[in-house]
Amino acid sequence: MKIVMCASEVVPFAKTGGLADVAGALPAALEKSGHEVIVVMPGYKTVHAKQGLSIKRVRDGLSTATIGKAIKVYFIDHDFYFGRDALYGDKTGDYIDNIDRFSYFCRRTLDLLKETGFQADIIHCHDWQSALVPVYLKSTTYSNDPFYKAMRTVFTIHNIGYQGLFSKDEFPKLGLAWSFFGVDALEYYDQINCLKGGIVFSDVINTVSDTYSKEIRTKEFGFGMEGILEQRRESLFGIVNGLDYSIWDPALDGFIASKFSCQDLAGKAACKEDLQKICRFPVKKDIPLIGVVSRLAQQKGFDILAEGIDRMCRMSLQMVILGTGDAKYHDIMESMVKKYPKVISLHLKFDDALAHKIYAGSDIFLMPSRYEPCGLGQMISMKYGTLPLVFKTGGLADTVDASTGFVFAKYSADELLKTVKKALAVYQTQDKWKKLMEKAMRRDFSWAESAKKYVQLYEKARKKI
Ligand code: ADP
């Protein structure tokens, strides 16, 4: 099959979250199983500034690189739209012209296919930033062109909380007929909703875990999309993300103080010592160290964590938090560092190397997300023998159970603390802990299985007329 992967962030070029991991790893897994894949993403300034990526400028507005064996990555360049310091916005919020930036990206993606003669079977789009691709494909500009006739679209929702909402006044800029601004199209409470466009106009839709694909059809998790998803339930599926073990494997990881594996755990103690030093914690073997690598957002459980953090800091533990997000949570966590400097260490930044060190050096990985489409942190931590402690939701419910971690089922600070206490108690019985570690490290979340399911999904899309 000929497949186009269209995403706003792709590892190793640009990343703010799990989408980038998926958009980088899935093409490689598909290539391995014999499919022809190209990737299209915006050519952000940060991408061009990165060293060692071997990006070549083809012409004005287009650059390329190669990933996997021979997967061509196309970067849609545009100085004004993508020559900025960040992907989506700055401290003041989202860039106000994001609709211009990403509708441009979507149209250019489709044009590029014709320019390069890539007659795709499947265009696989991700999240609201590329959701207008299936919309444009159904507009007369492309639907009247035989080149695009057989192309089918798959739309993956990585997080339904981000929908790309814009004022109706922006609609004429999109170059779409007004009929596309109907209740059965892009319109949502008199605004443009890009994600809704992806849901309505794609041939097949999926989310990144089975549980989340069911949750988003409910009012509690659907963020207003539950009705339209219910209508499209026959075409809605769930496929849990894989993990790229060429990046996430303690036996190969160049970022960590000492490599280790399930067979030889000695290096993990060195990683813990290294992390304790980085955090300026007392270097002690037997104090449980809790790691967090996350956006500091309510979605990630920071509301209950903020509520319980003071009580948690009085337990016998150490805790390191890496991430950025809402100023409110920055402030709360900073005040805790002042109060308990030997217990909590805060790193308000995006830092890939430190993330690896936290996964490797911690004993427990805390991920109490209120909702979690799939989540990668819990899968990564398991591979590093760091037991995940999670709220039972979405992908967390599908990947963690009592044999590989700690799960709580009622979303509250009290339940979170109770579960932390339970984990600390189990930590004291080293035999039990080792067994859990071993089971967690042996869990296999490799992409091969998930890629197989995506191919089945593509087959389903191809059957749609
Ligand atoms: P999200 O909802 O943010 O996409 P996921 O769990 O799916 O959450 O993926 C998050 C990814 O981003 C993981 O690979 C995690 O290690 C990484 N990550 C998150 N925050 C940071 C950070 N501050 N520094 C480095 N990596 C981070």
Side-chain angles (χ1 to χ4, degrees):
M1 249 186 282
K2 290 176 103 168
I3 301 151
V4 184
M5 202 62 66
C6 177
S8 58
E9 49 183 275
V10 181
V11 164
F13 306 104
K15 167 168 169 173
T16 69
L19 161 63
D21 291 293
V22 175
L26 179 57
L30 291 167
E31 184 186 46
K32 268 192 197 138
S33 47
H35 299 282
E36 191 183 346
V37 192
I38 64 166
V39 178
V40 190
M41 67 172 286
Y44 304 108
K45 183 167 100 179
T46 50
V47 172
H48 289 293
K50 261 194 183 171
Q51 298 297 311
L53 293 175
S54 303
I55 298 173
K56 293 187 196 75
R57 189 165 284 261
V58 180
R59 56 176 162 76
D60 209 24
L62 191 69
S63 308
T64 64
T66 305
I67 56 170
K69 235 170 151 197
I71 299 168
K72 225 169 185 177
V73 182
Y74 289 97
F75 302 96
I76 306 295
D77 294 329
H78 189 294
D79 277 350
F80 181 68
Y81 287 155
F82 303 126
R84 306 182 188 181
D85 291 335
L87 272 55
Y88 310 126
D90 54 26
K91 275 201 178 108
T92 60
D94 289 344
Y95 294 132
I96 50 166
D97 58 350
N98 271 349
I99 182 100
D100 305 326
R101 300 171 74 227
F102 290 103
S103 62
Y104 175 79
F105 168 63
C106 291
R107 269 178 288 133
R108 285 295 305 134
T109 298
L110 286 173
D111 294 340
L112 178 77
L113 300 184
K114 193 161 180 189
E115 285 160 26
T116 56
F118 193 85
Q119 194 127 39
D121 297 299
I122 295 292
I123 310 176
H124 186 168
C125 302
H126 301 261
D127 283 353
W128 76 261
Q129 293 90 343
S130 53
L132 291 179
V133 168
V135 181
Y136 280 119
L137 203 57
K138 295 270 160 77
S139 72
T140 48
T141 319
Y142 300 96
S143 68
N144 286 342
D145 186 335
F147 180 80
Y148 296 95
K149 206 169 163 49
M151 295 189 194
R152 295 291 174 265
T153 46
V154 171
F155 182 57
T156 302
I157 301 168
H158 294 262
N159 190 333
I160 207 155
Y162 299 87
Q163 302 185 345
L165 288 165
F166 301 95
S167 159
K168 180 185 182 175
D169 301 341
E170 311 269 0
F171 189 77
K173 286 181 182 170
L174 297 179
L176 291 163
W178 273 105
S179 59
F180 280 87
F181 191 76
V183 277
D184 51 357
L186 292 170
E187 190 268 347
Y188 183 71
Y189 289 99
D190 213 33
Q191 282 190 300
I192 303 167
N193 185 320
C194 295
L195 187 97
K196 186 181 169 200
I199 294 172
V200 172
F201 291 99
S202 296
D203 292 301
V204 167
I205 310 149
N206 82 299
T207 70
V208 286
S209 70
D210 201 39
T211 298
Y212 192 61
S213 76
K214 296 189 175 79
E215 286 173 344
I216 57 172
R217 280 163 51 192
T218 66
K219 201 166 164 43
E220 188 184 354
F221 294 100
F223 281 88
M225 292 296 106
E226 58 276 9
I228 196 92
L229 285 166
E230 189 57 33
Q231 279 176 32
R232 294 226 56 198
R233 66 182 179 279
E234 304 283 316
S235 305
L236 173 63
F237 302 88
I239 301 177
V240 76
N241 289 334
L243 200 56
D244 187 344
Y245 288 121
S246 69
I247 298 173
W248 301 110
D249 183 349
L252 307 169
D253 196 325
F255 286 116
I256 61 180
S258 176
K259 296 186 179 58
F260 62 93
S261 68
C262 199
Q263 290 76 31
D264 180 9
L265 279 170
K268 184 153 174 88
C271 289
K272 181 168 177 179
E273 190 179 326
D274 180 50
L275 185 58
Q276 285 175 323
K277 282 181 186 154
I278 291 169
C279 297
R280 296 169 200 274
F281 288 150
V283 175
K284 282 187 195 161
K285 253 196 227 136
D286 46 6
I287 184 157
L289 175 46
I290 299 182
V292 176
V293 179
S294 176
R295 288 183 282 115
L296 271 59
Q298 189 202 27
Q299 183 223 323
K300 295 292 181 181
F302 270 78
D303 51 353
I304 54 172
L305 188 56
E307 195 187 324
I309 189 77
D310 201 315
R311 280 180 280 164
M312 222 166 118
C313 286
R314 279 177 261 149
M315 297 178 191
S316 173
L317 52 80
Q318 295 173 336
M319 183 166 175
V320 50
I321 300 177
L322 167 65
T324 57
D326 297 353
K328 179 170 92 179
Y329 298 125
H330 287 207
D331 294 347
I332 294 172
M333 294 305 160
E334 268 172 340
S335 72
M336 285 298 117
V337 175
K338 281 205 188 97
K339 202 164 165 190
Y340 305 103
K342 290 204 168 107
V343 178
I344 179 164
S345 171
L346 186 63
H347 306 263
L348 297 172
K349 58 181 174 176
F350 195 95
D351 183 338
D352 213 19
L354 184 56
H356 282 253
K357 286 170 183 287
I358 293 175
Y359 287 117
S362 306
D363 299 297
I364 297 167
F365 187 76
L366 192 59
M367 197 162 171
S369 308
R370 173 186 282 268
Y371 75 92
E372 191 57 79
C374 175
L376 289 171
Q378 83 283 12
M379 294 197 264
I380 300 172
S381 68
M382 279 189 251
K383 182 72 183 170
Y384 285 74
T386 301
L387 299 182
L389 193 161
V390 304
F391 176 56
K392 191 174 180 195
T393 185
L396 298 175
D398 289 357
T399 54
V400 183
D401 60 35
S403 70
T404 55
F406 304 92
V407 184
F408 64 104
K410 186 170 167 265
Y411 191 79
S412 72
D414 284 346
E415 281 302 307
L416 166 65
L417 289 175
K418 232 195 245 171
T419 315
V420 169
K421 269 189 195 146
K422 194 172 135 196
L424 299 185
V426 178
Y427 184 79
Q428 298 310 322
T429 56
Q430 279 295 312
D431 275 3
K432 219 170 167 187
W433 194 265
K434 282 251 160 67
K435 266 199 198 116
L436 288 169
M437 268 175 81
E438 197 183 322
K439 190 101 191 274
M441 291 179 89
R442 288 195 195 283
R443 285 296 308 266
D444 182 9
F445 298 107
S446 58
W447 261 106
E449 205 45 44
S450 307
K452 236 188 257 167
K453 290 192 179 140
Y454 271 107
V455 172
Q456 288 164 2
L457 207 63
Y458 298 159
E459 296 291 0
K460 280 198 181 89
R462 285 177 82 183
K463 286 191 191 123
K464 300 253 168 159
I465 307 165

